[in-house]
Amino acid sequence: MSANPRSTCTQRTPRTSRATRRILASAAGLATVGALVAAMPAGAQDGGRQHKPSRTVDVQLLSFNDLHGNLEPPAGSAGTVNETQPDGTTKAIPAGGVEYLATSLRDARDGNRYSVTAAAGDMVGGSPLLSGLFHDEPTIEALNKLDLDVSAVGNHEFDEGSAELARLQNGGCHPVEGCFEKGKKFKGADFPYLAANVTREKTGKPILKPYTVWKKNGVKIGFIGVTLEGTPDIVTANGVKGLKFHDEIETVNKYAKELDRQGVKSIVALIHEGGSPASSSYNYDCDSPGAGDGISGPITDIAKGITPKVDALVTGHTHQAYVCTIPDPSGKPRMVTSASSFGKVYTDTTLTYDRRTKDIVRTSVKSSKSAKSVNHIVSRDQAKAADMTSLIGRWNVLAAPVANRPQGFISADINGRGSTAPEKPLGDLIADAQLEGLAPADKGGAQLAFMNPGGIRSDLVFKASGSEGDGVVTYGEAFTVQPFTNMMNVVDLTGAQLITALQQQVSGGNDASPKVLQVSKGFTYTLDMTKQGAARIDVASVKLNGVALDPAKTYRVAMNEFLAGGGDGFAVFKEHKNKLVGASDLDLFNAYLAANSSAAKPIAPPAADRITVVK
């Protein structure tokens, strides 16, 4: 599966065939027109004026990121996009769903002779049951139908390891579960996944193509794809075993130089790393008051370090929507975009291609924009794409026997992904489920449980998603909340190590963007966000069942295998002892729902009052 990094990579055969048919059809039409024009009297064309072909041509770049297998419209607050209104208020607009994304992209392409569609990673992984149950084959099929031309890999493309990523690219039935549809073999992605900064430790070669070149009628645009260098910190150890992840800036600059030597002067970087705009509204101007002033986070330094040979950056990972202008190292403005997540937004960028220089025309730093770029909501008040409706229906039939099983009952929405608070009601519920399931002596004797916030992928929504009835939590809905099916661990940690873990939430790599662990009932402390780094944790306030934590005492702690392996920057968790492996997080969650709720006594949203936050 390794690619020769020095060979120019083009689209896979199915994509090339479609493109060729379109080009041949266009050529045939042009030939006919040419014959008619030639037959006209001299000087009759266009009032006697002769026109040379334009030196420049506008190329439409459509892009999106972080789909995470959300084929159906995301439920609850996870399925809305914030829009700032003319009066300054914010409105939440329902968005997303691949039926609507397909319509949006197809409508956007209409009338654009030169159009290319690209993605910035996390197309799969952390997916709802409809896709996750089938190892994301339905999503790859949908992306093929969307006419996606190229995508970078994201960290979630490594959730099931590099061999499974290779299968998603190249096709073939699942090595354990086989073919999901009788008589059908999974064909794989007909677009190239790019992984320029991911190499095999043994060979040093990229595990996938580092770049590809999109071509049409002499127009050539190179795409380089990278994921964040810190992918091993946010993926299970098995997912990245035998792989090495390299610096994003150095990698992009290396391959930009290589493309330039090959005569490819127009280059777009697809980077699965991003930033945080000052507003959550998709239509916020992050160039106010100056270029790039309204955005922070890792992408700002990356953008400033990437060679001017790269003309635009399509980014992701942070699930934010922005269209920003960040000057490149030479001082020229360069577009940096991101399109939220879950297919709720897409970006439409116009790149002006100069046929003589073969480069994208970029203006001086005094100009407000280096390319025209706009984010658009994938609204649900447009027509659904019939082929996507058919695809969803086909896979839903296969998933239904599992997806529709009732697991428990809730009295109202319980927000997880949709909550912006450090402590999330659904986080408390999940941690409580883990503690209850692993507290018995023969299950590990857990005294407290921690849940990583990034592992909560959705909300639990009161309104019925199907025919199950309001307030009923189905297996499919529970799976959407916790799709990774991480195995649970119960381990020994000292009180001192637990204090260190709390401090690691808000210091070091987590200083700028804290990863606040969700905690089980009985565990309380104060988080003072007016302070900096580790000082944000009030050590004296940390208590278990009302008793201050003893630094010298050993506690039995439940957490998933991702956290136990030091994921999300919690290095101290790797120092654990006496590990006992329990059931999966999803199994414990479903068992808790079944044991603690009924139609007459549904679970109410937890108060989320275990962490006292000082702002």
Side-chain angles (χ1 to χ4, degrees):
M1 175 169 150
S2 297
N4 179 354
R6 296 198 174 275
S7 66
T8 301
C9 306
T10 56
Q11 289 91 344
R12 293 165 56 81
T13 301
R15 167 73 48 197
T16 304
S17 297
R18 288 202 297 270
T20 302
R21 286 198 295 269
R22 289 198 294 268
I23 293 169
L24 289 175
S26 298
L30 289 171
T32 302
V33 172
L36 290 172
V37 171
M40 295 172 65
Q45 302 100 333
D46 197 18
R49 294 188 301 273
Q50 298 287 343
H51 281 275
K52 295 181 180 179
S54 173
R55 174 172 168 174
T56 62
V57 59
D58 284 344
V59 178
Q60 179 188 57
L61 171 62
L62 300 176
S63 57
F64 58 99
N65 50 275
D66 295 275
L67 181 63
H68 290 288
N70 278 263
L71 302 182
E72 296 177 299
S77 57
T80 62
V81 175
N82 289 333
E83 180 182 67
T84 298
Q85 305 301 300
D87 64 359
T89 61
T90 301
K91 180 180 179 181
I93 299 176
V98 75
E99 295 161 296
Y100 303 110
L101 178 62
T103 297
S104 290
L105 294 177
R106 290 165 183 171
D107 286 350
R109 292 181 189 127
D110 190 32
N112 286 279
R113 187 178 176 195
Y114 295 86
S115 184
V116 56
T117 304
D122 275 9
M123 295 295 97
V124 300
S127 306
L129 186 83
L130 178 60
S131 187
L133 185 64
F134 306 106
H135 297 276
D136 283 311
E137 288 183 20
T139 295
I140 297 298
E141 181 185 349
L143 292 172
N144 289 344
K145 289 180 179 292
L146 280 177
D147 282 345
L148 182 63
D149 288 292
V150 57
S151 180
V153 295
N155 54 286
H156 281 284
E157 264 83 13
F158 295 91
D159 283 346
E160 296 187 49
S162 59
E164 176 62 5
L165 174 55
R167 188 183 76 88
L168 292 180
Q169 175 73 88
N170 300 317
C173 296
H174 192 270
V176 176
E177 299 180 40
C179 299
F180 295 112
E181 293 185 286
K182 188 175 181 180
K184 288 187 179 180
K185 182 180 178 181
F186 175 57
K187 296 180 180 179
D190 67 6
F191 57 89
Y193 258 125
L194 306 181
N197 67 329
V198 188
T199 60
R200 298 201 180 278
E201 289 180 345
K202 289 184 178 180
T203 66
K205 294 182 179 179
I207 65 167
L208 291 169
K209 295 176 181 179
Y211 56 79
T212 191
V213 179
W214 180 84
K215 304 175 183 177
K216 185 172 182 179
N217 296 343
V219 175
K220 296 191 295 184
I221 298 179
F223 288 88
I224 303 168
V226 298
T227 186
L228 68 156
E229 184 182 8
T231 290
D233 297 329
I234 52 176
V235 174
T236 58
N238 285 337
V240 295
K241 187 176 181 180
L243 305 179
K244 188 172 182 180
F245 292 76
H246 302 269
D247 181 82
E248 304 95 335
I249 297 173
E250 292 177 3
T251 302
V252 171
N253 288 352
K254 169 186 174 182
Y255 287 112
K257 187 176 181 180
E258 187 167 309
L259 283 167
D260 184 68
R261 285 201 303 264
Q262 294 175 7
V264 180
K265 307 296 183 180
S266 300
I267 303 172
V268 175
L270 307 175
I271 305 174
H272 191 72
E273 178 61 288
S276 299
S279 167
S280 63
S281 293
Y282 88 98
N283 56 341
Y284 165 69
D285 181 6
C286 61
D287 283 341
S288 177
D293 285 346
I295 189 169
S296 59
I299 200 61
T300 57
D301 288 336
I302 291 173
K304 292 173 183 176
I306 286 179
T307 172
K309 295 181 187 297
V310 174
D311 299 294
L313 277 59
V314 176
T315 72
H317 188 55
T318 58
H319 291 204
Q320 301 297 310
Y322 49 81
V323 173
C324 301
T325 303
I326 301 176
D328 68 20
S330 72
K332 278 190 176 182
R334 179 167 55 192
M335 195 59 65
V336 180
T337 69
S338 178
S340 184
S341 63
F342 300 171
K344 296 181 292 188
V345 172
Y346 74 92
T347 310
D348 189 337
T349 301
T350 300
L351 301 173
T352 300
Y353 182 90
D354 187 320
R355 292 182 180 277
R356 185 179 300 173
T357 65
K358 300 180 181 180
D359 203 353
I360 300 300
V361 178
R362 287 209 278 139
T363 56
S364 70
V365 72
K366 294 180 182 178
S367 240
S368 61
K369 301 288 182 186
S370 60
K372 180 184 176 184
S373 188
V374 180
N375 273 337
H376 298 280
I377 293 179
V378 177
S379 66
R380 298 181 195 168
D381 57 4
Q382 60 185 317
K384 296 180 179 180
D387 57 338
M388 294 302 176
T389 302
S390 176
L391 181 152
I392 289 170
R394 201 178 84 242
W395 286 101
N396 262 330
V397 169
L398 295 176
V402 175
N404 296 336
R405 289 202 307 259
Q407 302 298 309
F409 302 84
I410 57 176
S411 64
D413 288 357
I414 304 179
N415 286 340
R417 196 73 179 184
S419 170
T420 57
E423 182 184 356
K424 308 173 192 306
L426 189 49
D428 285 358
L429 186 65
I430 291 171
D432 287 350
Q434 294 174 353
L435 176 60
E436 181 171 296
L438 299 173
D442 62 337
K443 302 295 183 183
Q447 298 167 274
L448 68 149
F450 288 134
M451 174 64 190
N452 56 305
I456 307 169
R457 306 304 297 181
S458 185
D459 303 333
L460 278 184
V461 179
F462 178 77
K463 185 178 179 181
S465 59
S467 60
E468 74 276 9
D470 291 347
V472 178
V473 180
T474 65
Y475 184 90
E477 291 166 341
F479 184 98
T480 298
V481 169
Q482 292 198 103
F484 302 113
T485 56
N486 274 312
M487 302 308 293
M488 291 299 301
N489 293 175
V490 184
V491 299
D492 282 353
L493 288 167
T494 66
Q497 289 171 322
L498 291 175
I499 294 294
T500 298
L502 295 180
Q503 293 171 334
Q504 288 177 345
Q505 298 177 117
V506 290
S507 63
N510 292 332
D511 191 313
S513 182
K515 292 184 174 64
V516 179
L517 295 166
Q518 308 300 286
V519 298
S520 56
K521 59 185 176 183
F523 191 84
T524 57
Y525 70 95
T526 296
L527 176 63
D528 189 346
M529 295 304 294
T530 66
K531 298 182 179 179
Q532 295 297 315
R536 291 167 170 167
I537 302 300
D538 180 356
V539 175
S541 71
V542 183
K543 297 178 180 179
L544 179 60
N545 299 321
V547 179
L549 228 57
D550 182 346
K553 185 178 178 179
T554 296
Y555 298 86
R556 292 292 283 167
V557 186
M559 64 184 72
N560 60 44
E561 59 187 341
F562 170 70
L563 281 177
D568 272 352
F570 292 97
V572 70
F573 284 152
K574 292 191 290 185
E575 300 172 9
H576 65 257
K577 297 179 180 178
N578 299 326
K579 180 173 74 174
L580 184 145
V581 178
S584 75
D585 51 8
L586 180 60
D587 286 344
L588 290 179
F589 188 52
N590 284 328
Y592 184 86
L593 292 172
N596 292 278
S597 70
S598 66
K601 292 185 178 180
I603 293 174
D609 56 1
R610 300 165 190 181
I611 304 173
T612 300
V613 180
V614 179
K615 296 181 181 179

